[in-house]
Coordinates of all heavy atoms in Angstrom, one line a residue:
Chain A
F79 N -55.4 -12.7 33.1 CA -56.2 -12.6 34.4 C -56.2 -11.0 34.7 O -57.2 -10.6 35.4 CB -55.6 -13.4 35.4 CG -55.8 -14.8 35.1 CD1 -54.5 -15.6 34.9 CD2 -57.0 -15.4 35.0 CE1 -54.7 -17.0 34.5 CE2 -57.1 -16.7 34.8 CZ -56.0 -17.5 34.5
L80 N -55.2 -10.3 34.4 CA -55.1 -8.9 34.8 C -55.8 -7.9 33.9 O -56.4 -6.9 34.4 CB -53.6 -8.6 34.9 CG -53.3 -7.7 35.9 CD1 -53.5 -8.4 37.3 CD2 -51.7 -7.4 35.9
V81 N -55.8 -8.2 32.5 CA -56.5 -7.1 31.6 C -57.8 -6.8 31.9 O -58.2 -5.6 31.9 CB -56.2 -7.5 30.2 CG1 -57.1 -6.7 29.2 CG2 -54.8 -7.5 29.8
P82 N -58.7 -7.8 32.3 CA -60.1 -7.4 32.6 C -60.2 -6.4 33.8 O -61.0 -5.5 33.8 CB -60.7 -8.8 33.1 CG -59.8 -9.9 32.3 CD -58.5 -9.3 32.2
Y83 N -59.3 -6.7 34.8 CA -59.3 -5.7 35.9 C -58.9 -4.4 35.6 O -59.3 -3.4 36.1 CB -58.4 -6.4 37.1 CG -59.2 -7.5 37.7 CD1 -58.9 -8.8 37.4 CD2 -60.3 -7.4 38.6 CE1 -59.6 -9.9 37.8 CE2 -61.0 -8.5 39.1 CZ -60.5 -9.7 38.7 OH -61.3 -10.8 39.3
I84 N -57.8 -4.3 34.8 CA -57.3 -3.1 34.3 C -58.3 -2.4 33.6 O -58.6 -1.1 33.7 CB -56.0 -3.2 33.5 CG1 -54.8 -3.8 34.2 CG2 -55.5 -1.8 32.8 CD1 -53.6 -4.2 33.4
G85 N -59.0 -3.1 32.7 CA -60.2 -2.5 31.9 C -61.3 -1.9 32.9 O -61.7 -0.9 32.6
Q86 N -61.4 -2.6 33.9 CA -62.5 -2.1 34.8 C -62.1 -0.8 35.5 O -62.7 0.1 35.6 CB -62.7 -3.2 36.0 CG -63.7 -2.8 37.1 CD -63.6 -3.8 38.1 OE1 -62.8 -4.7 38.3 NE2 -64.7 -3.8 39.0
W87 N -60.8 -0.8 35.8 CA -60.3 0.3 36.6 C -60.3 1.5 35.6 O -60.4 2.6 36.1 CB -58.8 0.0 37.0 CG -58.0 1.1 37.6 CD1 -58.4 1.6 38.9 CD2 -56.9 1.8 37.0 NE1 -57.5 2.7 39.1 CE2 -56.6 2.8 38.0 CE3 -56.2 1.7 35.9 CZ2 -55.5 3.6 38.0 CZ3 -55.1 2.6 35.9 CH2 -54.8 3.6 36.8
V88 N -59.9 1.3 34.2 CA -59.8 2.4 33.3 C -61.2 2.9 33.0 O -61.4 4.1 33.1 CB -59.1 2.0 32.1 CG1 -59.1 3.0 30.9 CG2 -57.5 1.7 32.3
T89 N -62.1 2.0 32.8 CA -63.4 2.5 32.4 C -64.4 2.8 33.6 O -65.4 3.4 33.3 CB -64.1 1.4 31.5 OG1 -64.2 0.2 32.2 CG2 -63.4 1.1 30.2
G90 N -63.9 2.4 34.7 CA -64.7 2.7 35.9 C -65.9 1.8 36.0 O -66.9 2.0 36.6
A91 N -66.0 0.7 35.3 CA -67.1 -0.2 35.2 C -67.2 -1.0 36.6 O -66.2 -1.0 37.4 CB -66.9 -1.4 34.2
S92 N -68.3 -1.6 36.8 CA -68.7 -2.2 38.1 C -68.0 -3.6 38.3 O -67.9 -4.1 39.3 CB -70.2 -2.2 38.5 OG -70.8 -2.9 37.4
R93 N -67.8 -4.2 37.2 CA -67.2 -5.6 37.2 C -66.1 -5.7 36.1 O -66.0 -4.8 35.3 CB -68.3 -6.6 36.9 CG -69.0 -6.3 35.5 CD -69.9 -7.5 35.2 NE -71.1 -7.5 36.2 CZ -71.9 -8.5 36.3 NH1 -71.7 -9.6 35.7 NH2 -72.8 -8.5 37.2
P94 N -65.2 -6.7 36.3 CA -64.1 -6.8 35.3 C -64.7 -6.9 33.9 O -65.6 -7.4 33.6 CB -63.5 -8.2 35.7 CG -63.8 -8.3 37.1 CD -65.2 -7.6 37.4
V95 N -63.9 -6.2 32.9 CA -64.3 -6.1 31.5 C -63.7 -7.3 30.9 O -62.6 -7.5 30.7 CB -63.7 -4.8 31.0 CG1 -64.3 -4.7 29.5 CG2 -64.1 -3.6 31.7
Q96 N -64.7 -8.1 30.3 CA -64.4 -9.2 29.6 C -63.7 -8.8 28.2 O -64.4 -8.1 27.4 CB -65.5 -10.2 29.4 CG -65.8 -10.8 30.7 CD -64.7 -11.5 31.4 OE1 -63.8 -12.2 30.8 NE2 -64.5 -11.2 32.8
V97 N -62.5 -9.1 27.9 CA -62.0 -8.5 26.7 C -61.7 -9.7 25.7 O -61.4 -9.5 24.5 CB -60.4 -7.8 27.0 CG1 -60.8 -6.4 27.7 CG2 -59.6 -8.7 27.6
G98 N -61.7 -10.8 26.0 CA -61.6 -11.9 25.2 C -60.1 -12.3 25.0 O -59.2 -11.5 25.2
A99 N -59.8 -13.6 24.6 CA -58.5 -14.2 24.6 C -57.5 -13.5 23.6 O -56.4 -13.1 23.8 CB -58.6 -15.5 24.3
F100 N -58.1 -13.2 22.4 CA -57.3 -12.5 21.4 C -56.9 -11.1 21.8 O -55.7 -10.7 21.7 CB -58.1 -12.3 20.1 CG -57.3 -11.7 19.0 CD1 -56.3 -12.5 18.2 CD2 -57.5 -10.4 18.6 CE1 -55.5 -11.9 17.3 CE2 -56.6 -9.8 17.6 CZ -55.7 -10.5 17.0
T101 N -57.8 -10.2 22.3 CA -57.3 -8.9 22.7 C -56.3 -9.0 23.9 O -55.4 -8.3 23.9 CB -58.7 -8.1 23.2 OG1 -59.7 -8.3 22.3 CG2 -58.3 -6.6 23.5
S102 N -56.7 -9.9 24.8 CA -55.6 -10.1 25.8 C -54.2 -10.4 25.3 O -53.3 -9.9 25.7 CB -56.2 -11.1 26.8 OG -55.1 -11.5 27.7
C103 N -54.3 -11.4 24.4 CA -53.0 -11.7 23.8 C -52.2 -10.7 23.0 O -51.0 -10.4 23.1 CB -53.2 -12.9 22.8 SG -53.5 -14.4 23.6
L104 N -53.1 -9.9 22.4 CA -52.6 -8.7 21.5 C -51.9 -7.6 22.4 O -50.8 -7.2 22.2 CB -53.7 -8.1 20.7 CG -53.3 -6.9 19.7 CD1 -52.2 -7.5 18.8 CD2 -54.4 -6.5 18.9
V105 N -52.6 -7.4 23.4 CA -52.1 -6.3 24.5 C -50.8 -6.9 25.1 O -49.7 -6.3 25.1 CB -53.1 -6.2 25.6 CG1 -52.5 -5.3 26.7 CG2 -54.3 -5.4 25.0
T106 N -50.8 -8.1 25.5 CA -49.6 -8.8 26.1 C -48.4 -8.7 25.1 O -47.3 -8.2 25.5 CB -49.9 -10.3 26.4 OG1 -51.1 -10.4 27.1 CG2 -48.7 -10.8 27.2
F107 N -48.6 -9.2 24.0 CA -47.5 -9.3 23.0 C -47.0 -7.9 22.5 O -45.9 -7.7 22.5 CB -47.9 -10.2 21.8 CG -47.7 -11.7 22.0 CD1 -48.8 -12.4 22.4 CD2 -46.5 -12.2 21.7 CE1 -48.6 -13.7 22.6 CE2 -46.3 -13.5 21.9 CZ -47.3 -14.2 22.5
T108 N -47.9 -7.0 22.4 CA -47.6 -5.6 22.1 C -46.6 -5.1 23.0 O -45.6 -4.5 22.9 CB -48.8 -4.8 21.8 OG1 -49.6 -5.3 20.8 CG2 -48.4 -3.4 21.3
L109 N -47.2 -5.1 24.3 CA -46.3 -4.4 25.5 C -45.0 -5.2 25.7 O -44.0 -4.7 26.0 CB -47.2 -4.6 26.7 CG -48.5 -3.7 26.9 CD1 -49.1 -3.9 28.2 CD2 -48.0 -2.2 26.6
F110 N -45.1 -6.6 25.5 CA -43.9 -7.3 25.8 C -42.8 -7.1 24.6 O -41.7 -6.8 24.9 CB -44.3 -8.9 25.7 CG -43.1 -9.7 26.2 CD1 -42.8 -9.9 27.6 CD2 -42.2 -10.4 25.3 CE1 -41.8 -10.7 28.0 CE2 -41.2 -11.1 25.7 CZ -40.9 -11.3 27.0
E111 N -43.2 -7.1 23.4 CA -42.3 -7.1 22.3 C -41.8 -5.5 22.2 O -40.8 -5.3 21.7 CB -43.0 -7.5 21.0 CG -43.3 -9.0 20.9 CD -42.0 -9.8 20.9 OE1 -41.0 -9.2 20.5 OE2 -42.1 -10.8 21.5
A112 N -42.7 -4.7 22.7 CA -42.3 -3.2 22.6 C -40.9 -3.0 23.3 O -40.1 -2.3 22.9 CB -43.4 -2.5 23.3
A113 N -40.7 -3.7 24.4 CA -39.4 -3.6 25.1 C -38.3 -4.0 24.2 O -37.3 -3.5 24.3 CB -39.5 -4.4 26.3
Y114 N -38.4 -5.1 23.5 CA -37.4 -5.6 22.5 C -37.1 -4.6 21.4 O -36.2 -4.3 21.0 CB -37.7 -7.0 22.1 CG -37.5 -8.0 23.3 CD1 -38.6 -8.3 24.1 CD2 -36.3 -8.7 23.5 CE1 -38.4 -9.1 25.2 CE2 -36.1 -9.5 24.4 CZ -37.3 -9.7 25.4 OH -37.0 -10.6 26.5
F115 N -38.3 -4.3 20.8 CA -38.3 -3.4 19.7 C -37.7 -1.9 20.1 O -36.9 -1.3 19.4 CB -39.6 -3.1 19.1 CG -40.2 -4.2 18.2 CD1 -41.4 -4.9 18.4 CD2 -39.2 -4.7 17.2 CE1 -41.8 -5.8 17.7 CE2 -39.8 -5.8 16.3 CZ -40.9 -6.4 16.5
A116 N -38.0 -1.7 21.2 CA -37.4 -0.3 21.8 C -35.8 -0.3 21.9 O -35.2 0.6 21.4 CB -37.9 0.0 23.3
E117 N -35.4 -1.4 22.1 CA -33.8 -1.6 22.2 C -33.3 -1.6 20.8 O -32.2 -0.9 20.6 CB -33.4 -2.9 23.1 CG -33.6 -2.7 24.4 CD -32.9 -1.6 25.1 OE1 -31.6 -1.8 25.4 OE2 -33.4 -0.6 25.2
I118 N -34.0 -2.2 20.0 CA -33.6 -2.2 18.5 C -33.7 -0.7 17.9 O -32.7 -0.3 17.3 CB -34.4 -3.2 17.6 CG1 -34.3 -4.6 18.2 CG2 -34.1 -3.0 16.2 CD1 -35.2 -5.6 17.5
M119 N -34.7 -0.1 18.2 CA -35.0 1.2 17.6 C -33.9 2.1 18.4 O -33.4 3.1 17.7 CB -36.3 1.8 17.9 CG -37.3 1.1 16.9 SD -36.8 1.2 15.1 CE -36.9 2.9 14.8
R120 N -33.6 1.9 19.6 CA -32.7 2.8 20.4 C -31.2 2.6 19.6 O -30.6 3.7 19.4 CB -32.5 2.4 21.8 CG -31.5 3.2 22.5 CD -31.7 3.1 24.0 NE -31.2 1.9 24.5 CZ -30.1 1.7 25.4 NH1 -29.5 2.9 25.8 NH2 -29.7 0.6 25.8
A121 N -30.8 1.5 19.2 CA -29.5 1.2 18.5 C -29.7 2.0 17.2 O -28.6 2.5 16.9 CB -29.3 -0.2 18.5
G122 N -30.8 1.9 16.6 CA -31.0 2.4 15.2 C -30.8 3.9 15.4 O -30.1 4.5 14.5
I123 N -31.4 4.6 16.4 CA -31.5 6.0 16.4 C -30.0 6.5 16.7 O -29.5 7.4 16.3 CB -32.4 6.5 17.5 CG1 -33.8 6.3 17.1 CG2 -32.3 8.0 17.8 CD1 -34.9 6.5 18.1
Q124 N -29.4 5.7 17.7 CA -28.1 6.1 18.0 C -27.0 5.9 16.9 O -25.9 6.5 16.9 CB -27.6 5.3 19.3 CG -28.2 5.9 20.6 CD -27.9 5.0 21.7 OE1 -27.8 3.8 21.7 NE2 -27.7 5.7 22.8

Side-chain angles (χ1 to χ4, degrees):
Chain A
F79 297 110
L80 220 56
V81 167
Y83 289 98
I84 296 173
Q86 179 188 17
W87 179 66
V88 171
T89 58
S92 57
R93 56 175 67 196
V95 182
Q96 292 307 318
V97 290
F100 180 78
T101 313
S102 169
C103 288
L104 183 57
V105 172
T106 309
F107 276 92
T108 302
L109 292 178
F110 189 84
E111 292 299 323
Y114 290 85
F115 283 125
E117 287 300 276
I118 295 172
M119 286 312 291
R120 182 163 76 114
I123 292 170
Q124 285 179 320

